[in-house]
Amino acid sequence: MNITFIGGGNMATAIIGGLAGGAHQIRVVEPGEDKRQQLAADFGVTSLATLPEAFGPQDIIVLAVKPQVLREVCQQLAPVLGGALVISIAAGIGITAMAGWLGSERIVRVMPNTPAMVGKGVSGLYAAANVAQADRDNATAIMAAVGTTTWLAAESGIDDITSVSGSGPAYVFYFIESMIEGAVQAGFAEDEARRLVLATFEGAVELARQSPLPVATLRQNVMSKGGTTERAIVRFEADGVKTAIVAGMEDCRARSVALGVELSKD
């Protein structure tokens, strides 16, 4: 594949790292000189300060810029797009708006997440019905280089997956952070608290992955009547922890929808 990344930030770097070593021609358009040099040194990619003079239908462009500048970038791309496939990993902005700015509907939207940086990402993908299967396959291949992919039946699914896996790592980090704080209060040194909590999460996730039992049953299996674990869970329930998590995910989705409306306005 001939892939050009517009923007060389963390997510672009993660994807480039996943693709590096394959039979791909990769270019990165990145205004920061230090970043350009780093990407070239780390991955052997061609780093550019400005857009190429022209693209063609065989090219794939990955828009890895902040949503706030996506309109400007698309308008700069439009005269040189040449029918290239565009993959956007910018949050919020829908295909209709991007198609208007680009003058093309050959677009795939992707919502990745930060564990892509360690090859454990989750990416939701969506494309309009008129996007060819070959384009969908190429988008899948690019994102599969850094983790798991799932295709969404409707564009609104991008907002849904944002609230689950897109923003989900922050929820997990928040719980890890809280448990580390609790371990430190119990008397562990911070580095030991971190080690214990991370190992506990890794073990619990692996057990959930391998077990055929529902997660609720796995939780109940740790608890005994009147025991220590039950006391903690009773406190969580009394303080509405689960309710707050679900409500937070709903708020996350609502904000994703609102951002899309705000950033897509003419």
Side-chain angles (χ1 to χ4, degrees), residues 42-65:
D42 289 348
F43 305 114
V45 299
T46 300
S47 296
L48 308 170
T50 58
L51 288 175
E53 292 184 359
F55 294 94
Q58 76 284 354
D59 287 309
I60 300 171
I61 300 170
V62 180
L63 297 175
V65 299

Side-chain angles (χ1 to χ4, degrees), residues 40-199:
D42 289 348
F43 305 114
V45 299
T46 300
S47 296
L48 308 170
T50 58
L51 288 175
E53 292 184 359
F55 294 94
Q58 76 284 354
D59 287 309
I60 300 171
I61 300 170
V62 180
L63 297 175
V65 299
K66 294 183 183 300
Q68 291 79 5
V69 301
L70 186 60
R71 180 202 301 259
E72 179 183 352
V73 170
C74 287
Q75 290 171 341
Q76 292 173 353
L77 269 173
V80 298
L81 189 59
L85 170 63
V86 175
I87 299 173
S88 172
I89 63 172
I93 300 174
I95 286 175
T96 298
M98 284 189 284
W101 301 334
L102 289 166
S104 170
E105 295 183 347
R106 195 181 174 198
I107 301 168
V108 176
R109 283 188 68 188
V110 179
M111 172 49 64
N113 67 4
T114 56
M117 298 170 70
V118 292
K120 295 290 185 179
V122 176
S123 299
L125 299 91
Y126 173 79
N130 58 355
V131 173
Q133 186 60 48
D135 288 342
R136 295 168 186 266
D137 291 344
N138 282 334
T140 299
I142 289 170
M143 299 314 301
V146 290
T148 299
T149 64
T150 185
W151 277 90
L152 306 166
E155 190 167 12
S156 59
I158 292 287
D159 300 312
D160 299 335
I161 203 166
T162 296
S163 71
V164 180
S165 59
S167 297
Y171 316 154
V172 176
F173 297 147
Y174 188 81
F175 207 92
I176 290 172
E177 179 186 354
S178 300
M179 285 185 64
I180 290 174
E181 185 174 324
V184 169
Q185 289 183 12
F188 290 97
E190 184 148 358
D191 59 344
E192 181 69 355
R194 175 185 169 90
R195 186 179 72 84
L196 289 172
V197 171
L198 290 178

